[in-house]
Amino acid sequence: MMLILGFIVILLYVTFLTVVSIYFFKYPITISDFEADMRPVSIIICARNEEKTIAKCLHSISEQDYPKHLIEIILVNDASSDKTKELAEIILIKLGVSFQIISNQIKLGKKKSLLEAISKAKHHLIITRDADTFTKSKVWLNSMVNYHLKYHKDFVIGPVMISDNVGLIWALQAIESNILTMFSLASLQLKKPFLCSGANLLFTKALFQETNGYKSHLEIESGDDVLFLEDVKKKRPQTIGAVKSTSAIVYTYPQRSFSQLLNQRIRWAKKFDSNPNKANLIIAFAIMVVNAFWLFNFVTYFFVQQNGYFGLIFILLKLIIDSLLLFLASRFVNNKGLNWYILPIGLIYPVYALVVAIASVIFKPKWK
């Protein structure tokens, strides 16, 4: 019975990842026309205790090959206890771009901060960024706005990747981020989008107002991105698009320790409870089941010496499929040195996935 169940599990797993890979490659690469008309845009950054990252974030925006008179930066300082606001104000004055700084006297959270900023934004086009992000490309802003104009999409998902670093904890995050990007683009190609990130998201004020601006989930701490996506799908699913281009990538920093990484993943997992689209939950559960089977076969084959050759076949087949998927996902970003970590991550990921799944049920997330 266990043999048949294991065979079904690995067959479904291989089929699923094959479909993801095919539709990821089917999603067209975005070719931007940088000579096209540009539009004024308000870039909103919510920050809480980000004095170490805010400078690079703001400088990477000001260095864009985009007319400065068309850029407005709105920084929402969500009751930071460090020098985030002071540093940002000094930098913004020097940059010579139009800006607003909104200071919350008490912590309001990201959604309420975004609501305030969007209501005060001067421009019709809105882009949200996180304070701990930066861009390497000087045409990131062109890429996002040009996609909106060229394809008439009012909700544009931009790629978010982990910046280059070293070590297993970094590689685990970088590879997972690359795979999530594959899932996001593949699901959009299948016309069933369910993933996006508020760290690199463009939308229009009109669309935001049409979907009642977070009203359906305002009291939920997280989900300013994926729950907003679900609201858009109900109103205008045809207006959702994504930029598949390295020039549009926004980079974020890896978590420095496993405890920080685990807490971040627990926060992400909490979105599932409030998300009407259960695709995230179903996929997460399915992947957990496959990884549990892999661990079971690994332990019984090498330590209990049961399951015969099937256990070994299951172990090797999953490793091969995972390694191929990780390699394909990493090619889009080309993180320096990441390919060397593909096999080690393939070995430790089943343990990591189960730890995250169990921890998300037992522990409550910690917020800044």
Side-chain angles (χ1 to χ4, degrees):
M1 182 64 182
M2 185 63 69
L3 186 67
I4 296 173
L5 187 58
F7 178 78
I8 293 172
V9 166
I10 196 64
L11 181 63
L12 291 174
Y13 184 70
V14 171
T15 302
F16 171 70
L17 293 188
T18 301
V19 170
V20 168
S21 300
I22 290 172
Y23 280 90
F24 168 73
F25 283 108
K26 276 189 173 184
Y27 193 91
I29 294 174
T30 303
I31 301 175
S32 298
D33 179 9
F34 297 126
E35 301 299 321
D37 290 339
M38 299 180 183
R39 294 288 188 276
V41 58
S42 294
I43 301 172
I44 300 175
I45 305 164
C46 294
R48 177 173 167 81
N49 297 334
E50 296 287 359
E51 63 178 7
K52 294 181 180 179
T53 61
I54 192 64
K56 191 167 185 177
C57 176
L58 294 175
H59 280 296
S60 70
I61 293 173
S62 71
E63 291 166 359
Q64 294 297 302
D65 291 335
Y66 205 87
K68 286 192 175 182
H69 70 277
L70 296 179
I71 299 175
E72 176 193 34
I73 296 177
I74 304 177
L75 177 78
V76 185
N77 174 42
D78 195 18
S80 295
S81 58
D82 63 6
K83 296 181 179 179
T84 297
K85 179 192 172 184
E86 292 80 1
L87 285 172
E89 189 168 18
I90 292 170
I91 293 167
L92 287 167
I93 291 171
K94 290 181 179 179
L95 293 180
V97 297
S98 174
F99 72 90
Q100 300 182 52
I101 295 180
I102 300 170
S103 288
N104 300 334
Q105 297 306 308
I106 59 172
K107 181 187 173 185
L108 296 180
K110 192 174 181 183
K111 286 181 189 173
K112 292 179 181 178
S113 297
L114 284 170
L115 268 175
E116 179 71 11
I118 293 168
S119 70
K120 293 183 176 180
K122 296 176 183 177
H123 304 311
H124 176 65
L125 275 186
I126 306 291
I127 293 182
T128 59
R129 285 276 300 272
D130 286 350
D132 60 347
T133 62
F134 64 93
T135 56
K136 296 179 183 179
S137 168
K138 291 187 177 182
V139 292
W140 157 74
L141 188 50
N142 300 64
S143 300
M144 295 292 288
V145 174
N146 184 249
Y147 185 91
H148 156 70
L149 295 172
K150 185 176 180 179
Y151 297 98
H152 308 288
K153 302 294 184 181
D154 289 344
F155 188 95
V156 180
I157 302 167
V160 179
M161 303 295 180
I162 303 295
S163 61
D164 290 333
N165 210 305
V166 292
L168 279 175
I169 293 178
W170 161 73
L172 184 60
Q173 296 171 73
I175 287 173
E176 193 171 48
S177 174
N178 295 352
I179 290 175
L180 288 176
T181 297
M182 285 189 72
F183 278 20
S184 177
L185 292 172
S187 66
L188 194 51
Q189 181 66 18
L190 285 162
K191 302 188 185 306
K192 296 185 179 296
F194 67 95
L195 284 174
C196 66
S197 172
N200 192 15
L201 189 64
L202 177 150
F203 52 90
T204 63
K205 257 191 176 184
L207 180 65
F208 187 74
Q209 292 164 354
E210 188 180 337
T211 55
N212 297 318
Y214 304 144
K215 186 177 180 181
S216 66
H217 49 88
L218 185 60
E219 299 308 320
I220 301 170
E221 190 84 28
S222 59
D224 59 281
D225 39 29
V226 294
L227 297 181
F228 181 23
L229 170 64
E230 291 303 317
D231 287 341
V232 174
K233 283 166 61 178
K234 294 174 185 176
K235 293 284 186 177
R236 284 201 282 138
Q238 73 281 0
T239 202
I240 301 169
V243 185
K244 186 182 180 182
S245 170
T246 54
S247 65
I249 294 175
V250 160
Y251 293 89
T252 188
Y253 302 95
Q255 299 297 311
R256 294 188 297 272
S257 67
F258 184 74
S259 61
Q260 290 177 332
L261 173 61
L262 186 61
N263 184 58
Q264 184 188 63
R265 296 307 188 259
I266 292 172
R267 292 200 305 268
W268 291 4
K270 291 303 177 183
K271 299 178 187 180
F272 296 158
D273 297 337
S274 309
N275 195 335
N277 185 346
K278 297 305 178 184
N280 308 60
L281 185 60
I282 293 170
I283 291 172
F285 178 76
I287 290 174
M288 184 192 72
V289 169
V290 174
N291 285 308
F293 259 93
W294 189 90
L295 278 175
F296 172 79
N297 280 285
F298 187 88
V299 170
T300 56
Y301 182 81
F302 287 101
F303 297 99
V304 185
Q305 295 183 345
Q306 291 180 359
N307 285 356
Y309 287 112
F310 176 78
L312 183 61
I313 292 170
F314 190 102
I315 294 165
L316 292 177
L317 187 56
K318 183 179 182 299
L319 273 177
I320 292 169
I321 294 298
D322 285 353
S323 296
L324 180 60
L325 182 71
L326 299 181
F327 176 74
L328 293 174
S330 300
R331 284 187 65 191
F332 176 61
V333 188
N334 194 25
N335 298 94
K336 293 179 180 178
L338 188 60
N339 288 339
W340 293 105
Y341 291 96
I342 287 176
L343 184 57
I345 294 301
L347 289 168
I348 68 173
Y349 191 83
V351 178
Y352 161 78
L354 288 175
V355 169
V356 169
I358 294 170
S360 64
V361 174
I362 298 174
F363 301 109
K364 292 183 178 180
K366 296 177 182 178
W367 303 84
K368 283 187 181 179

